[in-house]
């Protein structure tokens, strides 16, 4: 037997626990519930008492043929949902759907220095983030250059010949 996974107890499990703790106070009920979870409380020969395959708690199967495996319709629905999700994941793993390639796939962003592996993609996307300077800014740079010369160091000349 593997480890039991407990989930939100379903209706059948709650009903079963309720029957066993009928009329008890909270303090009296606690050890009863503890024994119930360990499986020490009920008659082991009673084949109708079993663990719900979804929520993991004990419950009593009152169906005619004793063939149900979940304690409530909610648990049955949840287990079906889980199975479908698992099947979908397996199918996806074995036969993955081809994904459409997008321009952003060409951007290697996870390295220390991000870079593009395709120039077209870079221009197509990059311009939105690195806009060229406007005309006014370029005029300013050009004017500054003509006065002070190239480069970042300002070469200042002051004419003292008034
Ligand atoms: Zn259940």
């Amino acid at each position: 037997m593997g480890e039991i996974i407990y989930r939100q107890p379903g209706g059948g499990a709650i009903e079963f626990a309720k029957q066993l703790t009928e009329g008890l106070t909270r303090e009296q009920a606690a050890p009863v519930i503890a024994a119930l979870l360990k499986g020490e409380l009920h008659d082991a020969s009673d084949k109708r008492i079993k663990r719900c395959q979804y929520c993991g708690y004990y419950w009593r199967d009152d169906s005619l043929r004793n063939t149900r495996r979940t304690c409530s319709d909610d648990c049955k629905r949840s287990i079906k949902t889980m199975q479908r999700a698992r099947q979908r994941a397996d199918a996806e793993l074995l036969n993955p759907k081809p994904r459409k390639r997008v321009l952003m796939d060409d951007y290697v962003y996870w390295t220390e220095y991000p870079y593009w592996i395709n120039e077209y993609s870079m221009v197509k996307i990059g311009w939105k983030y690195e806009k060229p300077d406007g005309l006014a800014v370029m005029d300013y740079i050009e004017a500054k250059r003509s006065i002070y010369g190239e480069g970042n160091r300002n070469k200042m000349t002051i004419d003292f010949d008034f």
Side-chain angles (χ1 to χ4, degrees):
M1 272 295 274
E3 207 171 298
I4 301 145
I5 301 164
Y6 287 112
R7 296 191 178 86
Q8 194 72 13
I14 291 172
E15 190 53 45
F16 184 57
K18 220 185 237 173
Q19 283 167 11
L20 293 168
T21 54
E22 194 84 76
L24 299 180
T25 64
R26 192 185 164 84
E27 285 69 33
Q28 289 167 327
V32 176
I33 296 291
L36 168 69
L37 290 185
K38 280 186 216 148
E40 295 165 352
L41 195 69
H42 65 268
D43 178 8
S45 64
D46 188 347
K47 292 292 173 233
R48 284 191 172 269
I49 296 174
K50 44 193 164 184
R51 280 189 190 276
C52 170
Q53 277 200 346
Y54 183 71
C55 67
Y57 293 95
Y58 281 108
W59 67 293
R60 193 185 156 82
D61 187 355
D62 288 324
S63 68
L64 188 64
R65 293 181 197 284
N66 191 20
T67 49
R68 293 180 59 185
R69 291 180 300 163
T70 48
C71 71
S72 62
D73 287 344
D74 276 341
C75 282
K76 190 176 175 180
R77 212 172 300 129
S78 300
I79 211 167
K80 288 270 179 228
T81 307
M82 208 169 65
Q83 282 166 351
R84 271 199 301 273
R86 206 169 281 165
Q87 281 163 3
R88 261 200 306 276
D90 285 351
E92 172 67 22
L93 189 70
L94 294 174
N95 194 12
K97 248 181 246 154
R99 192 172 64 89
K100 197 164 174 271
R101 209 180 149 69
V102 292
L103 295 175
M104 210 52 200
D105 290 343
D106 293 332
Y107 189 51
V108 182
Y109 60 85
W110 53 89
T111 56
E112 190 178 358
Y113 299 103
Y115 59 93
W116 291 88
I117 52 173
N118 182 301
E119 195 180 354
Y120 176 79
S121 308
M122 176 184 80
V123 172
K124 200 81 175 151
I125 289 182
W127 72 271
K128 292 176 191 166
Y129 304 100
E130 291 172 41
K131 279 184 191 167
D133 293 322
L135 272 182
V137 176
M138 290 200 284
D139 272 351
Y140 167 76
I141 293 168
E142 198 54 47
K144 197 169 168 236
R145 202 172 275 161
S146 68
I147 298 168
Y148 302 115
E150 292 276 354
N152 288 325
R153 281 167 207 260
N154 291 350
K155 289 182 221 81
M156 190 96 158
T157 50
I158 301 164
D159 192 0
F160 290 104
D161 188 24
F162 295 108

